[in-house]
Amino acid sequence: QVQLRESGPGLVKPSQTLSLTCNVSGDSLTTKYYYWSWIRQPPEKGLEWVGAIAHSGGTSYNPALRRRTSISRDTSKNQFTLQVTSVTPEDTAVYYCARGGDVSNYDYWGQGAQVIVSS
């Protein structure tokens, strides 16, 4: 079974960089034709797609967050990482990593990581 787990600091100060890692087991990040996404949910709001990295290593981002967002991977460790720079309290959310097999179709999710941006 495919399992994903997010890890990283739960508290980040404004203007600093948010960094989260998704550890994947049961499948390779290079398996065609899956992509690996970051999705977040601010308090009492809906899900917001942040970005993704494909099996090929190519990336795509939510246009609203593109300037501040970067996704990378380490295939030797089978993990991928999200970085969001210059964070503000508006970036406070539960962050999920998930595997996608088609547009808006996610079959496996991590449990989510709460990230609070506050001084």
Side-chain angles (χ1 to χ4, degrees), residues 9-19 68 84-92 115-119:
L11 180 64
V12 184
K13 294 182 177 180
S15 82
Q16 295 187 338
T17 298
L18 180 159
S19 183
R68 302 188 293 121
V84 181
T85 63
S86 303
V87 298
T88 73
E90 295 299 310
D91 293 308
T92 294
V115 178
I116 298 174
V117 179
S118 176
S119 60

Side-chain angles (χ1 to χ4, degrees), residues 11 20-21 38 65 90 111:
L11 180 64
L20 292 171
T21 295
W38 287 100
L65 301 171
E90 295 299 310
Q111 294 191 78

Side-chain angles (χ1 to χ4, degrees), residues 63-77:
L65 301 171
R66 187 176 185 279
R67 272 180 160 269
R68 302 188 293 121
T69 304
S70 178
I71 297 174
S72 59
R73 70 180 183 180
D74 185 338
T75 55
S76 68
K77 297 180 179 179

Side-chain angles (χ1 to χ4, degrees), residues 17-30:
T17 298
L18 180 159
S19 183
L20 292 171
T21 295
C22 182
N23 293 280
V24 178
S25 63
D27 191 23
S28 171
L29 296 178
T30 62

Side-chain angles (χ1 to χ4, degrees), residues 1-109:
Q1 183 179 8
V2 179
Q3 293 184 317
L4 298 84
R5 176 171 289 189
E6 306 88 348
S7 63
L11 180 64
V12 184
K13 294 182 177 180
S15 82
Q16 295 187 338
T17 298
L18 180 159
S19 183
L20 292 171
T21 295
C22 182
N23 293 280
V24 178
S25 63
D27 191 23
S28 171
L29 296 178
T30 62
T31 298
K32 296 181 179 178
Y33 293 96
Y34 293 111
Y35 55 93
W36 306 85
S37 298
W38 287 100
I39 303 150
R40 70 181 187 180
Q41 184 170 215
E44 300 182 358
K45 296 182 180 179
L47 296 171
E48 178 183 38
W49 179 70
V50 177
I53 186 164
H55 59 92
S56 63
T59 56
S60 61
Y61 304 99
N62 184 329
L65 301 171
R66 187 176 185 279
R67 272 180 160 269
R68 302 188 293 121
T69 304
S70 178
I71 297 174
S72 59
R73 70 180 183 180
D74 185 338
T75 55
S76 68
K77 297 180 179 179
N78 210 42
Q79 61 186 25
F80 61 107
T81 299
L82 169 70
Q83 289 194 104
V84 181
T85 63
S86 303
V87 298
T88 73
E90 295 299 310
D91 293 308
T92 294
V94 176
Y95 285 75
Y96 300 92
C97 56
R99 187 181 78 168
D102 201 352
V103 177
S104 299
N105 181 26
Y106 305 103
D107 52 1
Y108 292 97
W109 294 69

